[in-house]
Amino acid sequence: MLVRRWQWLGVGLLVLLTGCAKFPSQPGVGVSKDRLVFTLTYAAPLDPRFFYFIAIDDDGNPLTGPMPSLTAPWGNGWAALPRQADLDPSTGKPRQGPNLSHFVEIRRVSAPGIGQALVYRVTNPTLENYRQEPLGSPLELTFLQPNQVRVTLDMRQLWLSPQPIPERIEVNFISVDELRLDPNDNTPRQGFDGLGVSGNEFISIPLTSNQTFPTNPAFNPEPTTAGDARIEALDLIGWQVQVLRSP
């Protein structure tokens, strides 16, 4: 089951800063120099009523990646999930289609330029047995403009040492106007966006060296002009991912 939104606020993991926010200390976790920096730009200011996600899949399969849930079953409320029957028995992972290993949830509160964010690890991505756990707040959350947000992640927050950092990840930037959890609700989702016109065109980001993406316009499946989403505050019109690796 999906953990109810913002339940984590009750344990003190709250970020209400316009500048930098360190994630809470965890046993065995230190701040490394391996970073992922995401900058997202929307057609209108982020709306505190809506939900914004940086979604990651680290299974190494370029045929699987994060996708929005657009019809029932609703996955975890915003992301589509693989069924248990879709998993490859030899690997325990899906062969193709939706998958999710980590995500950052971003919420803007009512005051302009102030927001909240939390990083999650998905411990079971299947529709039948979905589980997630909070990892703390990002290393940094900054609203550069009312419609532009930057999130910096320490890779070692996602992949604890001595676990290796994956060579690549699949990423999508999913925004929705509501979390849909009612299995009897078959009304297609209207308020959403993700990469590409369909929202399903997740991208592969190599993590082996310092790079900035998109490297060229052909790498970017997302229209750079507003209009592919019904709601401007959900409409992603620009993105950048910086991969920063320690020497």
Side-chain angles (χ1 to χ4, degrees):
M1 292 292 293
L2 179 68
V3 175
R4 186 173 296 276
R5 300 295 94 187
W6 310 113
Q7 196 170 37
W8 53 274
L9 294 179
V11 296
L13 300 180
L14 174 63
V15 181
L16 290 175
L17 298 175
T18 59
C20 298
K22 300 290 186 182
F23 60 78
S25 60
Q26 303 173 64
V29 177
V31 177
S32 78
K33 295 182 179 180
D34 295 309
R35 309 281 173 85
L36 283 167
V37 183
F38 300 91
T39 304
L40 307 177
T41 306
Y42 295 86
L46 280 74
D47 192 312
R49 299 171 298 171
F50 300 157
F51 302 84
Y52 301 84
F53 301 93
I54 298 170
I56 297 171
D57 173 25
D58 69 357
D59 69 1
N61 180 357
L63 299 180
T64 65
M67 300 180 182
S69 58
L70 304 182
T71 59
W74 295 107
N76 64 0
W78 59 272
L81 300 174
R83 296 180 184 272
Q84 191 71 36
D86 298 331
L87 304 186
D88 184 334
S90 64
T91 64
K93 299 176 181 179
R95 298 180 179 89
Q96 61 182 8
N99 201 29
L100 187 67
S101 67
H102 302 81
F103 64 91
V104 182
E105 181 172 3
I106 305 163
R107 296 292 302 278
R108 209 207 85 194
V109 297
S110 297
I114 299 179
Q116 307 161 332
L118 188 70
V119 184
Y120 287 90
R121 176 186 294 117
V122 176
T123 55
N124 189 320
T126 61
L127 183 65
E128 296 89 346
N129 301 297
Y130 181 79
R131 294 290 184 277
Q132 66 186 40
E133 62 181 12
L135 299 180
S137 57
L139 195 62
E140 178 197 23
L141 170 68
T142 302
F143 281 81
L144 304 172
Q145 301 289 338
N147 68 324
Q148 186 177 60
V149 62
R150 183 176 67 208
V151 177
T152 301
L153 299 178
D154 182 343
M155 293 190 197
R156 283 302 177 192
Q157 187 183 16
L158 304 181
W159 303 286
L160 294 178
S161 182
Q163 180 184 3
I165 293 172
E167 293 187 358
R168 64 186 295 152
I169 55 175
E170 276 63 53
V171 177
N172 203 345
F173 309 115
I174 298 172
S175 51
V176 297
D177 62 343
E178 61 178 336
L179 304 178
R180 305 282 287 271
L181 294 170
D182 183 355
N184 299 313
D185 180 4
N186 293 314
T187 307
R189 187 190 297 278
Q190 300 296 320
F192 76 96
D193 200 13
L195 287 172
V197 174
S198 68
N200 290 332
E201 297 183 47
F202 53 82
I203 52 171
S204 293
I205 302 291
L207 301 184
T208 53
S209 62
N210 293 342
Q211 296 187 71
T212 299
F213 300 90
T215 52
N216 59 68
F219 190 88
N220 183 11
E222 180 64 15
T224 55
T225 56
D228 70 319
R230 293 175 180 264
I231 301 174
E232 282 194 331
L234 299 175
D235 192 353
L236 183 72
I237 59 172
W239 62 272
Q240 183 185 82
V241 180
Q242 291 178 276
V243 179
L244 303 175
R245 298 302 306 267
S246 57

